[in-house]
Amino acid sequence: MNAVRRSEPVSPPSDAPSHLVGALVAARTETARAYLALARHYRDHSLAVAFPLALEALEAALSAEAPDMTVEVLAGLSFIEVAQGRQEQAFEHLALALDLAHEHGLRHLESQVRNSRAFARLTAGDAVGARRDLLDARALALAAGGRLDVAHTYVNLAYLENVTGQYEEALHQLNLLEEQLPSLPPEEQPSMRLYLLENRAHIYLNLARQARERGRPEAEAEACARVHAAITAIREELRDHPAGLIALLTETHAARLALLEGNPDRAQRHAEAALEHHARLGQQAYLDAHLAMAEVSVARGEPGRAHEHYRAALDSALDQSRHRETQEVLQAIARLHEGQGNLPAALGTYRDALDRAQQALARLAHIEQRHEDLIRELRQARAEATGWQDSVRRAEAQARQDPLTGLLNRRGLQDGLAGLEDTPGPLLLALFDIDDFKSVNDHHSHLTGDAALQAVGARLRALSPPGALLARYGGEEFVLALPVDDPAEAPVLVEALRRGIEAHDWSGLLPGMALTVSAGYILTEGRDEEALRAAFEQADDHLYRAKRAGRNRIYPPVSAAG
């Protein structure tokens, strides 16, 4: 699924009255703004709903010829992609947004984009990069005189310092925010005051826990009193300005405060209230309700219930590739196993945490390496484009398309699979690999090899049914993904594609040679990241079986699959 699905809209004639042209541009801008507002609303409820709304906002912003709106949409789209666990796509959209903001001198929007990138970095586990982005965002906002943007950087810096254990610095950022509040637009002050109070409650709660660990009862009592004061102030503010997420987080703070004060019954009531907010909002971004209930369950001697809520939090963190939270939850689960005396399970959980930390580091390194490629691709897109909108569309296409075959690349396939989340029935995943492709390069040339790859891709595309996703997966390997109504259709389709390659006349391109493919396929009901990863691994194993059985065949074979 490409982010931009339509050709450019018809432009008004050059002699069109200026007031009518202005009305058209304004209407398209408002359309983009409305879609973006919808996407922002649904990102805390349903990412599957929010994502296509953000894509619609992007198309409308491009049609409106509004670079500022386009930058805002790209930043909003990246936020949704981070929550979907698609960090690489998010970083690509943020790079595109920064490039566009720089090109058009939109300094205030550069601050917003860097704020968004800081969130993406922190979610991926890169606290150092997140802090660097937030400091840059603050400097840009101060230079542009954007008071609200400055306020947002204070909130985000306070959150970052809090989660990394720098509590005094976090409080300092909130003090700066408090000084800024009276200068903000009146309509923005209530929400920013709620952010201020909620973050302050969270920081003092962490300070109280730290004082408990260090055996400092007076410091603990003072911090707890400040948490009580902040929670009371939040509740008063919420009466006039309801905010579901703030209410949820406040209940989790109250639950943890009650645990510190030795009142597990009160803690459970607050944790249950947090879970009610969690269910009512249908949100995925915050794990706090499940984590608070897990901690309450541990305190009440209910390890089974604690495991249940830790598992719910872990599943959500894994679904969104939130590496920092994943580490925190795994460590909490390991401590729970230790407390139960189950040392083998604790050790296994710690090993899982270490493995996932290494995977996160590798992914971050890949993203950073990709940054230089992005800069080059953006420059190329701008050089070849007829206008800035065209450069955005070209960059989007290049990011999703294999340049040699014109098929989807891995990112394009991933986007396409995300668009199939709500489709019913099983999903066919088939991997095709050209047999003995090395001999093509050895007997002819690499240019001929490239032409052969293009021809195989074109042949597979011509033989694939409408609605199929077809991608070059790397080297001489191709992937087909297609929802099917009848599972019996799957082997028949894969076999037909194999035969289509075998029956093709290759003599013009490869004199004295013929090309064949082997294929492995799988049907999966799951659409989430873990299910798709498992399905790809099984399809790859089936491809290996087809190769070992003699090549130019599929596995499972048609007769066995029925």
Side-chain angles (χ1 to χ4, degrees):
M1 179 180 65
N2 287 338
V4 181
R5 300 173 301 286
R6 299 188 295 270
S7 59
E8 279 198 66
V10 176
S11 299
S14 58
D15 61 347
S18 58
H19 70 283
L20 294 179
V21 173
L24 178 62
V25 170
R28 288 173 176 170
T29 302
E30 287 308 307
T31 298
R33 199 179 307 280
Y35 272 115
L36 180 59
L38 281 169
R40 285 172 171 164
H41 170 77
Y42 279 104
R43 72 188 182 192
D44 291 329
H45 302 265
S46 172
L47 295 171
V49 173
F51 185 66
L53 289 170
L55 295 182
E56 229 22 83
L58 178 58
E59 179 60 37
L62 292 172
S63 300
E65 302 182 3
D68 52 348
M69 192 71 232
T70 302
V71 171
E72 288 191 53
V73 173
L74 287 168
L77 178 58
S78 74
F79 189 99
I80 295 167
E81 287 169 328
V82 168
Q84 289 176 316
R86 301 158 71 206
Q87 272 89 352
E88 186 169 340
Q89 291 90 323
F91 277 101
E92 289 182 358
H93 278 132
L94 288 166
L96 185 56
L98 279 174
D99 184 73
L100 195 59
H102 181 73
E103 181 186 356
H104 290 269
L106 304 170
R107 302 289 286 174
H108 64 296
L109 293 181
E110 280 194 55
S111 174
Q112 291 182 25
V113 176
R114 289 186 186 275
N115 257 312
S116 297
R117 194 169 70 178
F119 167 73
R121 288 189 186 281
L122 186 59
T123 301
D126 182 10
V128 174
R131 182 178 284 105
R132 185 171 60 247
D133 269 336
L134 286 175
L135 293 174
D136 287 345
R138 185 178 64 185
L140 285 164
L142 287 169
R147 296 182 183 275
L148 187 58
D149 290 333
V150 173
H152 280 132
T153 62
Y154 288 146
V155 172
N156 293 335
L157 278 167
Y159 176 77
L160 172 64
E161 303 295 1
N162 186 24
V163 299
T164 54
Q166 306 300 315
Y167 304 129
E168 295 302 327
E169 181 60 30
L171 288 172
H172 173 63
Q173 297 298 327
L174 292 184
N175 291 338
L176 293 173
L177 172 63
E178 194 165 27
E179 294 174 3
Q180 185 89 0
L181 274 178
S183 66
L184 296 180
E187 67 274 11
E188 299 290 348
Q189 291 183 20
S191 63
M192 296 307 298
R193 190 176 297 111
L194 281 170
Y195 285 132
L196 167 68
L197 293 169
E198 186 276 317
N199 275 276
R200 189 168 278 165
H202 193 187
I203 295 165
Y204 278 117
L205 182 63
N206 286 335
L207 283 169
R209 287 173 155 179
Q210 183 184 76
R212 168 76 61 89
E213 293 168 359
R214 295 178 177 178
R216 298 176 179 176
E218 292 182 1
E220 180 186 344
E222 181 183 351
C224 284
R226 290 181 179 273
V227 179
H228 274 294
I231 288 176
T232 299
I234 293 170
R235 296 195 191 285
E236 291 176 359
E237 193 75 30
L238 286 173
R239 277 198 289 269
D240 295 327
H241 306 284
L245 285 174
I246 297 293
L248 182 158
L249 294 171
T250 302
E251 294 296 344
T252 66
H253 299 332
R256 285 160 167 161
L257 178 61
L259 288 179
L260 274 175
E261 295 177 335
N263 193 331
D265 291 338
R266 178 159 58 89
Q268 178 156 330
R269 289 195 296 272
H270 288 301
E272 288 172 349
L275 284 172
E276 288 175 8
H277 284 296
H278 181 93
R280 188 180 307 120
L281 290 170
Q283 63 85 38
Q284 304 178 56
Y286 292 86
L287 315 179
D288 302 69
H290 283 296
L291 293 175
M293 184 56 83
E295 292 168 24
V296 170
S297 300
V298 171
R300 294 175 66 89
E302 301 171 347
R305 193 180 188 198
H307 276 296
E308 175 187 332
H309 286 285
Y310 276 136
R311 185 74 242 180
L314 182 61
D315 288 344
S316 183
L318 290 173
D319 284 345
Q320 301 175 56
S321 296
R322 297 170 66 163
H323 303 298
R324 181 180 58 81
E325 287 98 333
T326 296
Q327 292 295 307
E328 291 175 357
V329 179
L330 284 170
Q331 290 171 20
I333 293 172
R335 289 193 296 270
L336 181 56
H337 283 309
E338 286 179 355
Q340 294 178 274
N342 191 345
L343 296 183
L347 180 60
T349 305
Y350 280 125
R351 284 175 173 167
D352 188 15
L354 179 60
D355 289 344
R356 292 187 182 278
Q358 291 172 337
Q359 292 170 15
L361 287 173
R363 193 171 187 182
L364 279 173
H366 172 72
I367 287 172
E368 291 299 328
Q369 184 178 358
R370 175 83 177 115
H371 183 70
E372 294 300 321
D373 295 335
L374 282 171
I375 294 174
R376 185 178 64 254
E377 290 170 10
L378 289 172
R379 287 172 180 166
Q380 179 185 348
R382 193 186 301 130
E384 296 173 352
T386 57
W388 69 264
Q389 302 99 315
D390 186 32
S391 70
V392 173
R393 289 188 170 97
R394 284 176 180 268
E396 283 285 279
Q398 289 172 3
R400 290 171 172 81
Q401 192 177 63
D402 174 54
L404 179 64
T405 63
L407 303 178
L408 297 173
N409 59 15
R410 288 195 177 215
R411 171 181 166 179
L413 178 64
Q414 188 178 20
D415 284 355
L417 290 171
L420 299 178
E421 285 182 356
D422 297 327
T423 55
L427 177 71
L428 167 64
L429 286 175
L431 273 66
F432 297 85
D433 189 85
I434 301 176
D435 295 321
D436 195 22
F437 184 71
K438 184 175 180 297
S439 65
V440 175
N441 291 327
D442 290 345
H443 289 88
H444 295 279
S445 67
H446 286 282
L447 286 177
T448 302
D450 287 348
L453 289 169
Q454 292 172 324
V456 170
R459 187 73 178 143
L460 290 173
R461 179 162 46 197
L463 295 170
S464 298
L469 299 174
L470 192 61
R472 183 184 175 201
Y473 208 55
E476 60 270 20
E477 195 168 80
F478 299 83
V479 172
L480 177 136
L482 178 70
V484 294
D485 296 324
D486 181 1
E489 299 172 359
V492 176
L493 172 59
V494 178
E495 175 66 9
L497 291 172
R498 183 202 66 78
R499 289 185 177 180
I501 299 298
E502 180 186 31
H504 186 68
D505 181 6
W506 296 100
S507 60
L509 179 63
L510 304 169
M513 295 186 67
L515 285 183
T516 62
V517 295
S518 299
Y521 66 94
I522 185 69
L523 287 165
T524 178
E525 295 287 345
R527 300 291 198 272
D528 60 85
E529 185 176 352
E530 290 293 326
L532 289 173
R533 184 182 297 113
F536 270 105
E537 288 176 358
Q538 192 168 359
D540 189 58
D541 179 66
H542 287 177
L543 173 61
Y544 177 70
R545 289 170 178 258
K547 292 281 190 185
R548 271 186 26 178
R551 299 176 181 167
N552 191 24
R553 62 194 65 211
I554 71 170
Y555 189 89
V558 174
S559 57

